[in-house]
Amino acid sequence: MLYFLGIFQTIGVHTLLGLSAYVLLLTGQLSLGQVGFFAIGAYVSGILTVLFSWHIFAALAVGALVAGFFAFLIGFPALRVKGLMLVVATIAFSEIVRLFFFNLSWRVEVNGFDVGPDSTQGFREIRYFAANGWEQTHVVALIWSFVILVMFLLWWLDRVRAGAVLRAVGEDDLAAQSSGVNLTMVKVAAMTAGGVIAGIGGGLFAHSTTYVDHHTFTILLATFAVSYPILGGHKNVFGTLLAVIFIQGFVIEGLRFMGDYRNIVFGLLIILAMNLRPQGLVDGHFISDIKKKLGGKPKKDSADA
Amino acid sequence: MLSINNLETSYGLIKALKGVSLDAAEGEVTCILGPNGAGKTTLMFTLSGIIKPDAGSIDFFGTSLTGLAAPKVLREGLALVPENRLVFPLMSVRENLLAGAYTRNRSDKDEVEADIEKMFARFPVLKERQEQNAGTLSGGEQQMLALARALMSRPKMLLLDEPSVGLAPVIVNEVFAIIKQLKEDGLSIVLVEQNVVKALEVADHFYLLDQGRVTFAGTPGEMENDDVIKRAYLGGG
């Protein structure tokens, strides 16, 4: 049971990470910097609960805000670069963040123990949940409350004007600009929102694993973050969730018996998925395709079904 | 009217516009000709606020547009139809038109709907394809859509950046027929073109842009009689 709860935690945290990349992808920005914001959220909220004995919610909020603030700052120079250059620039950013925490040593005595980030040794004492009597089921519930909240907000965003504006910028920023869209505002807002979401994810991650170090926040995790919305399709938020379940639940965990051969299968599956569903797993026809597969009739004739 | 004075724009160290001055009168079609790299698109981008000029002034019906950001320029009534059409490919035709009304007051929903119907009357093919993704339209249809989208903002003046580029001759004729209609309806237009023969059919005034400078200004008649232009643009000696 604990094992499955662990998988639920991982899927929840990775969904938040994927959704942070999803927001940016809507505006056509491919960022490998989400892991940087994720790391900031993890370390900042961890420092607040461990070193300053803050409540988890306050620590998560501040971690998310700090990550969002850095994302806001990154948003402006990021406006000037597109495509591959943006990918490189955001990798550079997340490496700066990682190396900062790699070097950060901030040990403080709390209740007779030395705690805090210990540079290369990592940050080991993030035991808020255990110390405050949270069961693992509570932790899973907390993570998924955030996942559902963020998914709901993004789903709703897609139904209002702001969502259309984000997509317009993503489809063609020059056309959006000549229709009167404020490009700077939209792109920076998306970057900031992505930073906040990744920051929450990072905070939840740090507290649910109790231990983070710089190895956690490498380019590999950054690649996962962008591959979820790309693989899942950025037509809607459910694609990202489905991609996380597919990759974390099936490829990483489900195929564990294959050992390192998983990596080969992983690559193959991604190539296969990209070929079979170029718009992502959940594209515009997803629902009607499923209906067809189930033998039902397409949407228009559903009245007599 | 639009009055541009000594406009200078650069990309880093490269000066693309080296002091351009020109006027576009109300109700007329003002055509800007010039070879590739002359600065035509840079001029369009500067006028519509996508790029900021280094020097010079843009005056539009008594308001200074110099240095204003793109959304504000559009609100003042100067709308750009960018080169190569640039529709939103994954949005439907109708959504593209709605996007064109982005700067308009949200309360006049009914008027926006009425304007969409007007666009459908002017461009019947868009009505047929209103629920289709814009990316699935042909080049000519996309050009019509880009035009209609710009018109949805109810501009006083339209900047048309090479509407004929990459289109079949028959479609080019259709596009120019639309431009003629818009002119008859009283819309002021600045037209950037390389197709001089077609431009002659609609334009009231010509400017020739070369390497960031205006090298000729005059009426269609004066242009046809200019030896240099005749050789370079109209063919024959």
Side-chain angles (χ1 to χ4, degrees):
Chain A
M1 191 60 197
L2 281 183
Y3 168 72
F4 286 105
L5 287 177
I7 295 176
F8 272 128
Q9 281 181 2
T10 308
I11 291 176
V13 166
H14 279 249
T15 303
L16 287 171
L17 189 59
L19 290 174
S20 84
Y22 166 87
V23 181
L24 282 172
L25 217 56
L26 285 186
T27 64
Q29 301 180 96
L30 187 67
S31 159
L32 286 180
Q34 300 319 99
V35 70
F37 306 127
F38 187 75
I40 292 173
Y43 269 89
V44 169
S45 63
I47 286 168
L48 289 173
T49 57
V50 176
L51 272 61
F52 299 96
S53 309
W54 279 32
H55 191 274
I56 181 74
F57 287 118
L60 284 175
V62 172
L65 287 178
V66 173
F69 175 71
F70 277 97
F72 173 77
L73 293 184
I74 295 297
F76 289 96
L79 283 172
R80 305 196 135 255
V81 285
K82 274 187 196 173
L84 224 69
M85 293 309 286
L86 181 62
V87 171
V88 174
T90 48
I91 290 177
F93 163 75
S94 53
E95 278 297 284
I96 291 171
V97 172
R98 186 178 70 82
L99 292 172
F100 174 79
F101 290 124
F102 178 65
N103 285 292
L104 179 70
S105 183
W106 186 1
R107 303 292 283 174
V108 173
E109 202 186 298
V110 176
N111 301 330
F113 294 100
D114 265 359
V115 292
D118 191 6
S119 63
T120 54
Q121 300 297 309
F123 185 2
R124 293 172 178 280
E125 306 88 1
I126 316 172
R127 295 201 195 92
Y128 181 91
F129 290 136
N132 288 278
W134 288 54
E135 306 265 341
Q136 201 176 2
T137 42
H138 299 157
V139 178
V140 171
L142 176 71
I143 292 175
W144 280 87
S145 310
F146 276 107
V147 172
I148 290 165
L149 177 72
V150 170
M151 278 182 66
F152 174 75
L153 286 176
L154 292 178
W155 175 85
W156 168 78
L157 183 78
D158 226 8
R159 257 135 204 87
V160 296
R161 195 173 146 100
V165 173
L166 290 181
R167 286 188 189 277
V169 169
E171 286 188 28
D172 197 312
D173 56 4
L174 190 60
Q177 228 179 342
S178 50
S179 302
V181 171
N182 185 335
L183 212 57
T184 308
M185 204 186 79
V186 171
K187 284 195 168 180
V188 172
M191 189 65 99
T192 310
V196 169
I197 297 170
I200 297 174
L204 290 168
F205 172 75
H207 286 86
S208 59
T209 58
T210 72
Y211 166 72
V212 289
D213 77 356
H214 72 100
H215 283 303
T216 321
F217 307 110
T218 56
I219 181 86
L220 182 69
L221 191 58
T223 318
F224 271 118
V226 286
S227 49
Y228 297 138
I230 292 177
L231 187 66
H234 50 277
K235 266 282 172 202
N236 64 52
V237 288
F238 304 108
T240 303
L241 176 65
L242 204 68
V244 176
I245 293 173
F246 176 66
I247 292 179
Q248 290 297 329
F250 178 66
V251 181
I252 306 271
E253 290 302 327
L255 302 181
R256 200 169 273 286
F257 65 91
M258 297 178 74
D260 287 342
Y261 288 106
R262 273 183 307 173
N263 293 336
I264 299 174
V265 178
F266 181 61
L268 280 175
L269 280 173
I270 299 248
I271 294 170
L272 206 64
M274 293 286 193
N275 275 288
L276 294 177
R277 299 198 80 86
Q279 299 287 325
L281 294 173
V282 182
D283 62 10
H285 312 290
F286 183 69
I287 304 294
S288 55
D289 282 2
I290 286 185
K291 277 189 184 154
K292 251 183 255 165
K293 295 262 161 61
L294 292 176
K297 289 178 179 164
K299 233 185 334 192
K300 275 182 188 162
D301 319 300
S302 60
D304 53 33
Chain B
M1 62 173 274
L2 178 73
S3 180
I4 305 161
N5 208 343
N6 261 319
L7 203 61
E8 291 180 24
T9 303
S10 49
Y11 300 102
L13 291 175
I14 299 161
K15 232 181 191 138
L17 299 183
K18 302 164 183 164
V20 171
S21 301
L22 58 87
D23 293 314
E26 201 175 347
E28 289 194 347
V29 174
T30 307
C31 180
I32 298 168
L33 297 169
N36 289 333
K40 304 186 298 290
T41 296
T42 305
L43 178 60
M44 292 298 108
F45 281 178
T46 312
L47 291 178
S48 54
I50 290 169
I51 317 178
K52 282 197 168 46
D54 304 329
S57 67
I58 305 163
D59 191 85
F60 186 59
F61 288 97
T63 313
S64 169
L65 300 185
T66 323
L68 283 192
K72 287 191 176 144
V73 172
L74 189 64
R75 275 174 220 273
E76 289 296 331
L78 187 62
L80 169 72
V81 182
E83 193 180 357
N84 299 320
R85 306 178 278 277
L86 306 185
V87 294
F88 300 115
L90 298 175
M91 294 188 189
S92 72
V93 167
R94 175 175 276 276
E95 285 167 335
N96 267 271
L97 292 176
L98 277 172
Y102 178 69
T103 51
R104 286 170 59 178
N105 208 327
R106 273 187 229 197
S107 57
D108 44 66
K109 243 185 179 157
D110 295 342
E111 277 188 54
V112 169
E113 277 304 318
D115 278 6
I116 288 183
E117 287 308 316
K118 274 187 209 160
M119 292 308 147
F120 286 158
R122 199 188 280 279
F123 308 97
V125 64
L126 297 184
K127 183 171 183 151
E128 278 168 40
R129 307 202 185 284
Q130 53 176 306
E131 299 305 330
Q132 224 170 296
N133 275 0
T136 64
L137 301 185
S138 73
E141 290 161 353
Q142 288 187 10
Q143 184 63 59
M144 302 296 179
L145 178 57
L147 250 164
R149 189 183 60 202
L151 291 173
M152 284 300 294
S153 69
R154 292 198 170 171
K156 291 183 209 157
M157 188 178 274
L158 204 58
L159 303 172
L160 277 174
D161 197 355
E162 295 210 35
S164 72
V165 75
L167 298 180
V170 192
I171 311 294
V172 172
N173 289 343
E174 278 179 39
V175 170
F176 274 86
I178 297 277
I179 296 174
K180 233 180 260 176
Q181 259 179 41
L182 291 172
K183 180 187 170 184
E184 279 161 21
D185 294 348
L187 189 69
S188 319
I189 296 172
V190 175
L191 172 70
V192 166
E193 253 311 325
Q194 303 230 39
N195 189 334
V196 185
V197 181
K198 293 307 292 182
L200 274 167
E201 291 177 14
V202 291
D204 301 291
H205 234 89
F206 278 95
Y207 287 93
L208 185 64
L209 205 60
D210 197 4
Q211 298 193 30
R213 288 193 179 84
V214 173
T215 53
F216 170 88
T219 60
E222 286 166 346
M223 198 184 71
E224 278 178 298
N225 293 324
D226 190 289
D227 277 346
V228 180
I229 291 179
K230 220 195 284 180
R231 249 177 293 151
Y233 288 93
L234 295 168

